[in-house]
C-alpha cells in the first residue's frame, strides 16, 4: 500500500518549542510514527527568552490562518488540528480542519455561524476551495491516527 508522505509542522500559540518536543515529537518518534531523524520539523510558536520575555511569533488566530495560507501558496496540503475557538480561522482555511475535544465555545461559534461539523470517522474528501468549509470533529488522537492510516498518509 502506497503512503502519501506529509511534512509535519507544528503551529502553536500556547506551547513552547521544548514542550512540543517533549509532549508531541518525542512520543511520535517512540511510536515510530515519525522518523527518528526528523529533527527538521518546523515549529512556529511563541517562545520565552533567557530573561523570561515572551516573543510572540504567533500572536493570535489570524497569524495561524495566515501561516496556513502561506503553506497552501507553496502547494502544501494542510491538515490542521485545533482545540479552541482561536483555531477556527485556521481550521476553516486548512484543506482538512480537525477540531479535537469539542470546546464548548468553539461549538457555540460554529453553530452561530452555520459552519458544518462532521465526525472525522465519516470523512470524505471535499474540495475546500470550491465548497463551503467543513470542520471535522473527534475526541481522540487515535481517531486522527486512524484517519491518517485510512487515507494512506504518513508524517515525516
Amino acid at each position: 500500500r502506497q503512503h502519501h508522505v506529509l511534512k509535519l509542522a507544528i503551529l502553536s500559540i500556547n506551547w513552547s518549542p521544548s514542550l512540543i518536543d517533549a509532549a508531541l515529537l518525542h512520543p511520535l518518534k517512540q511510536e515510530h510514527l515519525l522518523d527518528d531523524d526528523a529533527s527538521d520539523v518546523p515549529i512556529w510558536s511563541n517562545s520565552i527568552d533567557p530573561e523570561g520575555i515572551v516573543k510572540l511569533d504567533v500572536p493570535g488566530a489570524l497569524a495561524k490562518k495566515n501561516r496556513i495560507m502561506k503553506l497552501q501558496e507553496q502547494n502544501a496540503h494542510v491538515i490542521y488540528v485545533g482545540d479552541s475557538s482561536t483555531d477556527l480561522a485556521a481550521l476553516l482555511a486548512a484543506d482538512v480542519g480537525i477540531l479535537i475535544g469539542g470546546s464548548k465555545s468553539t461549538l457555540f461559534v460554529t453553530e452561530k455561524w452555520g459552519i458544518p461539523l462532521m465526525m472525522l470517522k465519516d470523512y470524505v474528501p471535499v474540495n475546500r476551495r470550491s465548497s463551503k468549509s467543513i470542520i471535522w470533529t473527534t475526541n481522540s488522537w487515535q481517531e486522527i491516527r486512524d484517519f491518517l492510516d485510512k487515507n494512506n498518509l504518513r508524517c515525516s
Side-chain angles (χ1 to χ4, degrees), residues 66-83:
N66 291 339
R67 174 60 66 178
I68 300 296
M69 293 174 74
K70 282 184 182 178
L71 290 168
Q72 289 170 328
E73 287 171 6
Q74 300 166 9
N75 295 317
H77 182 77
V78 178
I79 298 171
Y80 184 89
V81 179
D83 66 352

Side-chain angles (χ1 to χ4, degrees), residues 82-111:
D83 66 352
S84 72
S85 54
T86 63
D87 292 305
L88 275 175
L91 288 166
L92 291 167
D95 297 292
V96 178
I98 302 172
L99 175 65
I100 188 167
S103 154
K104 288 182 181 181
S105 63
T106 308
L107 296 174
F108 174 80
V109 172
T110 57
E111 182 180 338

Side-chain angles (χ1 to χ4, degrees), residues 1 13 30 34 56 60 106-107 120 127-129 155-156:
R1 180 168 115 170
I13 288 177
Q30 284 186 317
L34 186 63
L56 296 176
T106 308
L107 296 174
L120 183 60
N127 183 339
R128 295 295 285 234
R129 291 170 181 95
C155 294
S156 75

Side-chain angles (χ1 to χ4, degrees), residues 16-136:
S16 69
S18 57
L19 179 58
I20 290 167
D21 186 54
L24 184 62
L25 299 179
H26 184 71
L28 285 173
K29 289 175 184 177
Q30 284 186 317
E31 294 272 331
H32 304 288
L33 298 173
L34 186 63
D35 296 334
D36 285 332
D37 62 350
S39 59
D40 63 339
V41 173
I43 298 175
W44 301 296
S45 68
N46 298 327
S47 58
I48 301 173
D49 71 15
E51 287 80 42
I53 309 256
V54 175
K55 182 180 176 194
L56 296 176
D57 293 323
V58 186
L62 289 178
K64 291 179 183 183
K65 177 186 174 193
N66 291 339
R67 174 60 66 178
I68 300 296
M69 293 174 74
K70 282 184 182 178
L71 290 168
Q72 289 170 328
E73 287 171 6
Q74 300 166 9
N75 295 317
H77 182 77
V78 178
I79 298 171
Y80 184 89
V81 179
D83 66 352
S84 72
S85 54
T86 63
D87 292 305
L88 275 175
L91 288 166
L92 291 167
D95 297 292
V96 178
I98 302 172
L99 175 65
I100 188 167
S103 154
K104 288 182 181 181
S105 63
T106 308
L107 296 174
F108 174 80
V109 172
T110 57
E111 182 180 338
K112 183 88 171 160
W113 289 95
I115 300 166
L117 300 175
M118 295 186 72
M119 294 173 63
L120 183 60
K121 67 182 180 75
D122 299 328
Y123 175 80
V124 291
V126 294
N127 183 339
R128 295 295 285 234
R129 291 170 181 95
S130 67
S131 66
K132 186 168 183 166
S133 294
I134 295 170
I135 294 177
W136 302 93

